[in-house]
Amino acid sequence: MSPILRHIDDTERSAVLLSGGYFQSPPGVDDFSLNTLALAARLGREVRKLHRGNKASYDVMHNDLGQACGTDTCSIGDNGQDGPVDVHSLRELAAAERITFTITRERTLRNRAARAMHKWLRDTGTNSLFRQEGEEIVYRSRQYDSVRVGVVKDFYVVPRCPLIMNEYYSRHFDRLRRAFPDCRRRYLIEIGSAVDKDKMFKGAEIYLRGPRSSGDQIIHVFTDSRCTELVEFAWTARDF
């Protein structure tokens, strides 16, 4: 069994969302996309072996914003590509692995995050973990000295990467709760590149310190383009 799955309780039914196949536009689907989706499929088979009641589903994240996130800040430009991206190779791989997957666009996540923060701006007392500093929205992190999560422009917020990742986790844990209400535990295994570590860690903290994360766990798996070396980090609300 993969060491990644040691974090999953094998004594009760669990719902697991496996996120692999990440790609950007441009350049589109590449070796990293294909190899990480194949890894997600293998992990999904092992998830189902842990407990006969376990459920596995799959998602591919599409970065159609052209944003990049670093340790201290991230770009807020909108340099993505609106046109369709050829995902035929991902579909072929999924068919060979006998799985299906959804695709989540970061542009959709950004818009959801913007609406949520616009609502917060109208009543900042609803969540004391955020504060406004000039044009910046800052999150009171327990991992980092300062996490900038958005820029206020004319009373609207342009979300930064941590808020986008928080929306990703929130969206898919809600999906697991709705699809598998009989599963007491929920996991999201996200396979990504180490260059995205900070936005993934920050987004995980924002989600797991939120009001709906009970019973949820995020497992980050960082790997190279060939998936030859894997490093995992597991997070629950207790870690914050």
Side-chain angles (χ1 to χ4, degrees):
M1 182 180 73
S2 168
I4 297 167
L5 302 186
R6 67 186 177 184
H7 303 288
I8 296 180
D9 189 340
D10 61 0
T11 64
E12 58 183 344
R13 295 181 63 192
S14 298
V16 183
L17 188 284
L18 297 113
S19 176
Y22 173 91
F23 65 93
Q24 303 179 59
S25 58
V29 175
D30 57 13
D31 288 344
F32 182 83
S33 311
L34 294 169
N35 290 332
T36 54
L37 183 61
L39 174 59
R42 292 197 298 273
L43 290 172
R45 288 194 291 271
E46 293 188 30
V47 162
R48 291 190 294 270
K49 292 177 184 177
L50 288 176
H51 191 288
R52 64 182 299 176
N54 282 358
K55 303 296 182 181
S57 54
Y58 304 87
D59 185 72
V60 172
M61 182 181 287
H62 174 194
N63 181 351
D64 55 349
L65 291 176
Q67 294 196 168
C69 190
T71 302
D72 298 318
T73 187
C74 68
S75 66
I76 58 173
D78 194 350
N79 301 316
Q81 179 175 309
D82 280 324
V85 176
D86 184 1
V87 296
H88 182 69
S89 55
L90 285 175
R91 301 288 186 197
E92 283 189 331
L93 173 62
E97 297 284 357
R98 298 183 178 181
I99 66 171
T100 60
F101 62 86
T102 55
I103 296 178
T104 301
R105 298 178 61 195
E106 289 197 16
R107 186 166 302 197
T108 301
L109 299 173
R110 180 199 61 185
N111 293 342
R112 287 167 57 99
R115 288 194 294 270
M117 293 309 294
H118 182 222
K119 183 178 179 181
W120 175 81
L121 279 176
R122 295 199 301 266
D123 184 4
T124 58
T126 58
N127 191 333
S128 62
L129 295 178
F130 296 99
R131 68 179 185 274
Q132 184 174 355
E133 296 181 352
E135 293 185 345
E136 292 280 351
I137 303 295
V138 179
Y139 181 74
R140 302 176 190 273
S141 172
R142 290 177 175 167
Q143 295 182 91
Y144 299 86
D145 291 337
S146 178
V147 175
R148 299 175 181 178
V149 296
V151 178
V152 180
K153 294 186 175 182
D154 300 324
F155 200 64
Y156 289 92
V157 177
V158 179
R160 295 187 184 273
C161 297
L163 276 184
I164 292 173
M165 293 309 303
N166 168 61
E167 282 297 326
Y168 186 74
Y169 303 135
S170 177
R171 177 179 185 147
H172 285 290
F173 278 116
D174 283 347
R175 169 184 168 184
L176 293 179
R177 273 188 284 271
R178 291 193 304 268
F180 311 112
D182 295 335
C183 292
R184 296 180 58 189
R185 299 296 302 276
R186 292 165 298 276
Y187 301 85
L188 193 155
I189 300 176
E190 183 178 16
I191 305 167
S193 170
V195 299
D196 292 323
K197 173 176 68 70
D198 284 293
K199 73 176 185 181
M200 293 162 68
F201 284 1
K202 292 170 183 176
E205 178 181 358
I206 294 172
Y207 173 75
L208 291 170
R209 291 178 70 190
R212 300 193 61 187
S213 66
S214 177
D216 297 345
Q217 183 167 359
I218 297 171
I219 302 171
H220 290 138
V221 180
F222 299 109
T223 187
D224 58 287
S225 62
R226 295 187 297 172
C227 292
T228 55
E229 296 186 11
L230 309 176
V231 179
E232 82 275 1
F233 295 85
W235 308 94
T236 68
R238 295 188 298 274
D239 293 304
F240 304 106

